[in-house]
């Protein structure tokens, strides 16, 4: 029976990230691998109160019952205000609640991609996006955000395959930590107009800026051009995973109403709706705590980023380069040519008990062998300094 | 940009069930429409305690964090015992936790179906299954469980299209309430062998048997033939939605390890994992309460079924027929030829404030216009008697 189902799933690489998550519990290991929030920073008490309220006499019948595919209306209302705060005017019919922003990526792949269609993605880009889109068998082409490829060049590379969307995370992207500047965002919108394709803006890290001036989301820039969200080709994916809790699986997607209503149908067919009680709990915690909680996260993660940058400057041998992110969870390290990130990981685990993610997995074309991703979100400063010291040691060995 | 995404979602009918759910809140309406559990019967206190535990100092860091795609190991262990109790021997690597059994249907569609492939389904069958599979653009053919179609006939009807699976709910199926007898189950396994296709057994209502002798799941019968689950072509989908709570979106799928490991990859790509905290809460409530809670549900729902059957006998005019389910939530009513269920619903809502689901939506070929589905799970006996009296009134009018 194997030949029956060895179609879509078999093309996906077993994710190195997931395998690495299994290492996190081992004693003595310093892990810069998982791009995960520090569990000590979760607003656990606020969630305990929110779940208690949801399961109190007034709300329990609702909290434990089926609910509509669009999502919990008070949470969508809160998100209308949140999106306004980052420059996007929308109403609740422009918002669908998803089970993490990962699910929005899956549904967008399902909505847009037929086998052989072209998706433009960063080189490297978020591995989870590649996995989500891969299920729909597209071709990937390299999205350039510095404007050095014109529409004609993309079309030529697509060779007749329809170019369906450009996907990117514009702020502190996973895995590089890099941010697309205002000019790059405007150029991307110009490109999308010329190609008549959608833009999928992954805002997973958007709230975690530590310094520098905020840059409006691509969706806000497009709305400024076009007046209404209904005229926008940008679709924005947001997540509470990096700000409140990933374990509840609550994210959202914002788009023109025809896109959102199609996605509601996809969600209804795929899992009916996201957990009712989790949406109610996230709503209460977002309403009561987001404003104070997120600045605390920013201060904490900023200090960890600074510790990692300082330690890199101190311990990296010549020929190693790295990014200086203004937010998010990641620093991207480029090793000297010929040094293989996967080999380095194997050596680091064995000799100095250090974990990180080899960068190659983030490239659709399996280049990038001499890169690694370091996450600074889940270690305190002392651990970060010691981990980077170990990285220096194994690189010099 | 419309033409870019008007592919998969647009083929799905906007679900009548979902639209009807929106009516449930209106005053004075008696609804036999939604196939939903009675929220007064939820084990809300047990869930309150379980969420409190999960958010206590020992478990909060885990409960709110990312977790593995396969699902929470203690819950999968509990399910190994549950499956053993219904005749299926498996271990935890045969089990994936999904966000409701609906998600398992979506992933099975994704795993098995390419456009034009054939899926065998009941006529009528669960609308959510048709919606889930529809996204992958199969042909549907009518599965007969009374053995009056042989493999050659299915092959001829498929006309070269690969027959990938037969999907059915063998116990108290949605929408008919009917159960496939032992002989029908064995015949289906014979057919699947001849066609070399999978069998997707939807066990959503399996625990809700009110009388009659339990019949082993199709998966148990196949295991009895073949010795090991690893040789089985049956894939079993289970759900806590009908026994504990649908609002938490926790279900599971059981199959041979190669199938489950492919589905784990699909899940990882589609939404990473189901809510960690919800899996922990469901585990605690299942462990502590399932054994006492489900018999209480059976007693309560059995009394409601009986009330509906008695009221139907009293109030239905000649020429109306209905099923006598041994469990589940539904009675299926066949109206005299020429009476249209959708028209009847419109009249019933307007004149007697009664809601139910017209049966046509459950037929892949849009036949069944003279059928309706009544759910008895979410109304007390007096309401059921009054509702069926109203149905008689509108049918006679």
């Amino acid at each position: 029976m194997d030949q029956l189902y060895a179609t879509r799933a078999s093309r996906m690489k077993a994710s190195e990230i997931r395998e690495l998550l299994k290492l996190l519990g081992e004693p003595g290991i310093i892990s810069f691998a998982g791009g995960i929030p520090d569990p000590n920073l979760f607003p656990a008490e606020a969630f305990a109160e929110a779940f208690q309220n949801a399961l109190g006499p007034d709300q329990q019948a609702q909290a434990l019952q089926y609910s509509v595919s669009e999502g919990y209306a008070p949470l969508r209302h809160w998100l209308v205000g949140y999106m306004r705060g980052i420059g996007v005017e929308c109403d609740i019919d422009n918002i669908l609640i998803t089970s993490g922003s990962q699910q929005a990526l899956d549904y967008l792949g399902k909505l847009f991609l037929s086998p052989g269609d072209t998706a433009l993605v960063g080189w490297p880009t978020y591995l989870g996006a590649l996995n989500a889109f891969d299920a729909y068998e597209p071709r990937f082409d390299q999205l350039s955000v510095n404007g050095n490829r014109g529409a004609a060049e993309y079309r030529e590379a697509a060779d007749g395959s329809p170019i369906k969307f450009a996907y990117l995370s514009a702020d502190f992207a996973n895995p590089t930590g890099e941010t697309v500047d205002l000019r790059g965002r405007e150029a991307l919108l110009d490109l999308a107009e010329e190609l008549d394709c959608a833009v999928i803006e992954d805002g997973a890290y958007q709230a975690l800026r530590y310094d520098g001036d905020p840059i409006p989301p691509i969706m806000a820039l497009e709305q400024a051009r076009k007046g209404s969200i209904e005229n926008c080709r940008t679709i924005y994916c947001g997540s509470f995973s990096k700000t409140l809790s990933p374990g509840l699986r609550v994210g959202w997607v914002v788009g023109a109403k025809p896109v959102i209503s199609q996605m509601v149908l996809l969600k209804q067919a795929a899992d009916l709706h996201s957990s009712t009680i989790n949406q109610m709990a996230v709503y209460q915690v977002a309403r009561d705590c987001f404003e104070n909680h997120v600045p605390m996260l920013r201060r904490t993660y900023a200090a960890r980023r600074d510790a990692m940058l300082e330690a890199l400057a101190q311990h990296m041998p010549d020929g190693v380069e790295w990014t200086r992110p203004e937010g998010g969870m990641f620093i991207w390290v480029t090793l000297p040519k010929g040094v293989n990130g996967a080999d380095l990981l194997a050596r680091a685990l064995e000799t100095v008990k250090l974990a990180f993610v080899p960068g190659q997995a983030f490239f659709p074309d399996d280049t990038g062998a001499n890169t690694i991703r370091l996450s600074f979100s889940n270690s305190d400063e002392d651990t970060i300094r010691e981990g980077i010291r170990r990285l220096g040691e194994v690189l010099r060995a």
Side-chain angles (χ1 to χ4, degrees), chain A residues 100-299:
Chain A
S101 60
Q102 184 70 30
Q103 189 175 61
L105 299 180
D106 177 47
Y107 293 166
L108 288 165
K110 203 183 232 185
L111 191 59
F112 282 103
L113 297 174
S114 295
D117 287 352
T118 293
L120 307 181
V121 299
W123 234 250
T125 191
Y126 170 49
L127 178 58
L130 296 179
N131 280 340
F133 302 149
D134 251 342
Y136 306 99
E137 306 177 24
R139 301 168 62 258
F140 291 114
D141 192 14
Q142 181 173 10
L143 177 66
S144 160
V145 288
N146 55 18
N148 61 7
R149 289 185 81 190
E153 214 172 320
Y154 286 104
R155 276 206 206 89
E156 197 184 318
D159 194 23
S161 146
I163 299 173
K164 290 300 183 70
F165 59 72
Y167 164 82
L168 82 166
S169 185
D171 296 289
F172 338 119
N174 181 358
T176 65
E178 288 177 327
T179 295
V180 180
D181 64 14
L182 186 63
R183 207 172 131 185
R185 294 177 195 216
E186 295 285 8
L188 180 66
L189 283 171
D190 293 339
L191 176 69
E193 289 298 326
E194 284 192 78
L195 294 174
D196 190 24
C197 74
V199 175
I200 299 176
E201 180 173 22
D202 184 339
Y205 300 93
Q206 203 271 340
L208 296 181
R209 174 175 281 281
Y210 313 137
D211 38 43
D213 291 329
I215 307 171
I218 295 167
M219 180 173 252
L221 296 172
E222 189 180 12
Q223 201 172 38
R225 292 182 179 194
K226 295 180 174 172
S228 161
I229 190 170
E230 298 308 323
N231 303 325
C232 286
R233 56 179 69 248
T234 306
I235 300 158
Y236 183 94
C237 306
S239 173
F240 289 105
S241 293
K242 310 303 188 279
T243 51
L244 298 181
S245 157
L248 272 66
R249 312 305 303 129
V250 180
W252 71 93
V253 55
V254 185
K257 280 169 195 164
V259 175
I260 296 300
S261 64
Q262 295 279 305
M263 291 184 80
V264 169
L265 291 179
L266 289 176
K267 181 158 180 71
Q268 190 190 355
D271 71 358
L272 301 183
H273 61 84
S274 292
S275 164
T276 318
I277 192 170
N278 291 11
Q279 293 184 66
M280 292 167 77
V282 164
Y283 164 64
Q284 184 177 319
V285 174
R287 182 194 66 193
D288 297 348
C289 305
F290 198 89
E291 218 172 299
N292 291 319
H293 184 71
V294 174
M296 181 279 289
L297 290 180
R298 288 191 195 116
R299 287 190 300 274

Side-chain angles (χ1 to χ4, degrees), chain A residues 319-331:
Chain A
V320 177
E321 295 177 351
W322 57 91
T323 57
R324 283 156 190 83
E326 294 184 317
M329 297 184 166
F330 305 107
I331 291 173

Side-chain angles (χ1 to χ4, degrees), chain A residues 69-85:
Chain A
S69 303
E70 291 87 339
Y72 183 56
L75 179 59
R76 292 158 72 217
H77 276 293
W78 187 88
L79 284 166
V80 167
Y82 178 83
M83 293 305 297
R84 181 174 302 134

Side-chain angles (χ1 to χ4, degrees), chain A residues 325-340:
Chain A
E326 294 184 317
M329 297 184 166
F330 305 107
I331 291 173
W332 181 250
V333 177
T334 304
L335 306 168
K337 279 228 165 19
V339 180
N340 182 289

